[in-house]
Amino acid sequence: MKEILFQFGVSEEKFQVIPFGSGLINTTWKIVDKQGYSKFILQKVNQQIFKQPDDIAFNIRLIDNYLKKYFPGYLFVSPVITITGNELVITDDGFYRMFPFITNTHTIDVVEKPQQAYEAASQFGKFTKLLSGFDASLLKITLPDFHNLSLRYLQFEKALETGNADRIQQAAGLISAIKLNKRIVDEYEGCKEKFTIRVTHHDTKISNVLFDEAGNGLCVIDLDTIMPGYFISDLGDMMRTYLCPVSEEEKDFSKIIIRAAFYEAIVTGYLSEMSGGLTEIEKKHIHFAGEFMIYMQAIRFLTDHLNDDIYYGVKYEGHNFVRAGNQITLLQRLQEFISKLSA
Ligand code: GN1
Ligand code: MG
């Protein structure tokens, strides 16, 4: 740690390194000075998953340059450059990058008020809108097929053939729930060609938004998964993670409900920035976005469970099974909610 901090021009003696955040893939620390003020955010990026660290740095640099040139007033958190002039410190066990901690800002982990959902949704909408003049095809694909639902379904089918036989048997209920919802894959196949390819964040959880002290959204952070993509990824992951008072970690599924006021806040917040940008066919798929993302996450957790937990970190036996069941329940609650909306 000392050497990594040194590379970023930070002396270990003057700071404390404190674990921070709850991501499943990357590890994050806060670098706090002796007076207790947060100064930097340090992240170790999981190289099993992000195989080309330089591609992430490339994308961030490109977007940074574009926003600084065309929207200089927008707060974009650029990475700290190392003493050798790089964005990353590469070590044998992975690579690290650092961001300045922007004073008087904070992140939140749980969406408690519709206003927070509104602020976050408008920030993600704004980010895509500001980059609408930027050629998304210039971006490197940091995770190929990340939100390709059809491929995720094929990976699920493959796991049914080659996965852990005991787990497959025991997960019969969830497996059939996934199969019963296959029409979501068909709908995705039918509409994706008609959607506009945009600069998409692909990880719109609430902790990826910076708020000021008054609770206004300032900007989005965590740009590893910025790639060309479809609006349903960003809008849908907000629905997946803001609508319900409990997260994908919750084991008591009776707590999984859809909060109508939050649904409204997400859609109006996102459209407050993006309504002029969405095409007619996209507007017709606003309700589909949540189903798409929740279903895909259920498939990913269940597939990983059947494959003996090779992707997501697990803390107890059957953890990914619980997460998958949680997401299937959330999907069912959302489907009931949407059918009432359109009734
Ligand atoms: C992973 O690590 P985290 O929480 O930022 C995953 C997302 C999932 C999420 C589910 C690169 O994100 O796609 O939605 O877990 N990121 C990657 O908690 O796979
Ligand atoms: Mg992330």
Side-chain angles (χ1 to χ4, degrees), residues 23-26 49-50 143 146-147 203 205 222 225 237 240 248 297 300-301 311-312:
L24 299 183
I25 306 296
N26 297 333
I49 289 164
F50 293 98
L143 291 172
F146 187 40
H147 283 185
D203 190 9
K205 64 165 88 75
D222 192 6
T225 51
D237 211 37
R240 186 179 83 78
E248 65 203 16
Q297 195 62 56
R300 292 177 66 194
F301 283 141
Y311 189 89
Y312 289 110

Side-chain angles (χ1 to χ4, degrees), residues 43-306:
Q43 266 196 319
K44 179 180 177 195
V45 180
N46 185 330
Q47 207 160 356
Q48 297 306 97
I49 289 164
F50 293 98
K51 302 215 160 54
Q52 303 288 340
D54 291 332
D55 287 356
I56 297 182
F58 174 90
N59 286 350
I60 295 180
R61 205 179 316 129
L62 222 56
I63 287 177
D64 196 2
N65 290 342
Y66 182 88
L67 291 173
K68 292 243 156 67
K69 179 161 175 204
Y70 294 101
F71 302 98
Y74 180 74
L75 174 65
F76 184 85
V77 187
S78 314
V80 175
I81 303 298
T82 67
I83 52 178
T84 53
N86 296 313
E87 278 107 343
L88 303 167
V89 172
I90 302 183
T91 69
D92 292 342
D93 71 328
F95 65 96
Y96 294 76
R97 42 58 185 302
M98 194 143 117
F99 295 95
F101 190 96
I102 311 293
T103 44
N104 301 325
T105 69
H106 64 277
T107 53
I108 57 178
D109 280 327
V110 187
V111 187
E112 277 159 355
K113 293 180 247 160
Q115 180 63 13
Q116 296 167 327
Y118 181 93
E119 287 294 317
S122 61
Q123 284 306 319
F124 284 110
K126 182 177 181 178
F127 182 72
T128 294
K129 183 178 83 176
L130 293 183
L131 289 160
S132 58
F134 172 90
D135 178 3
S137 71
L138 296 173
L139 295 172
K140 307 264 192 204
I141 308 295
T142 52
L143 291 172
D145 290 310
F146 187 40
H147 283 185
N148 179 346
L149 180 61
S150 311
L151 181 78
R152 297 291 182 190
Y153 196 87
L154 289 176
Q155 290 168 335
F156 160 69
E157 287 183 318
K158 174 122 193 291
L160 293 178
E161 284 165 21
T162 60
N164 177 323
D166 292 338
R167 286 186 169 194
I168 292 170
Q169 209 180 10
Q170 171 253 354
L174 287 184
I175 291 169
S176 80
I178 297 287
K179 289 183 175 168
L180 276 172
N181 280 285
K182 168 95 195 297
R183 61 143 195 93
I184 299 175
V185 182
D186 303 333
E187 182 151 2
Y188 164 75
E189 275 302 318
C191 63
K192 67 174 207 240
E193 306 290 331
K194 299 174 195 142
F195 289 164
T196 307
I197 309 248
R198 298 191 165 83
V199 178
T200 306
H201 187 284
H202 289 110
D203 190 9
T204 56
K205 64 165 88 75
I206 197 75
S207 57
N208 284 338
V209 177
L210 275 193
F211 288 88
D212 70 12
E213 282 173 338
N216 303 307
L218 289 175
C219 66
V220 305
I221 53 173
D222 192 6
L223 308 183
D224 308 327
T225 51
I226 302 286
M227 288 178 275
Y230 308 120
F231 85 104
I232 51 171
S233 283
D234 283 359
L235 186 61
D237 211 37
M238 290 191 266
M239 293 180 179
R240 186 179 83 78
T241 56
Y242 308 171
L243 288 178
C244 178
V246 294
S247 78
E248 65 203 16
E249 298 297 319
E250 179 61 52
K251 295 177 194 167
D252 178 356
F253 297 169
S254 71
K255 292 186 181 154
I256 299 176
I257 54 161
I258 300 294
R259 301 178 292 182
F262 291 73
Y263 194 91
E264 172 79 19
I266 295 168
V267 174
T268 51
Y270 192 72
L271 292 182
S272 73
E273 296 287 343
M274 283 296 288
S275 65
L278 293 185
T279 62
E280 284 313 307
I281 179 98
E282 287 173 327
K283 284 183 185 154
K284 291 205 177 82
H285 284 82
I286 286 174
H287 294 327
F288 177 66
E291 263 193 303
F292 164 75
M293 281 306 297
I294 296 167
Y295 181 60
M296 182 155 61
Q297 195 62 56
I299 291 180
R300 292 177 66 194
F301 283 141
L302 186 59
T303 303
D304 199 36
H305 174 69
L306 302 180

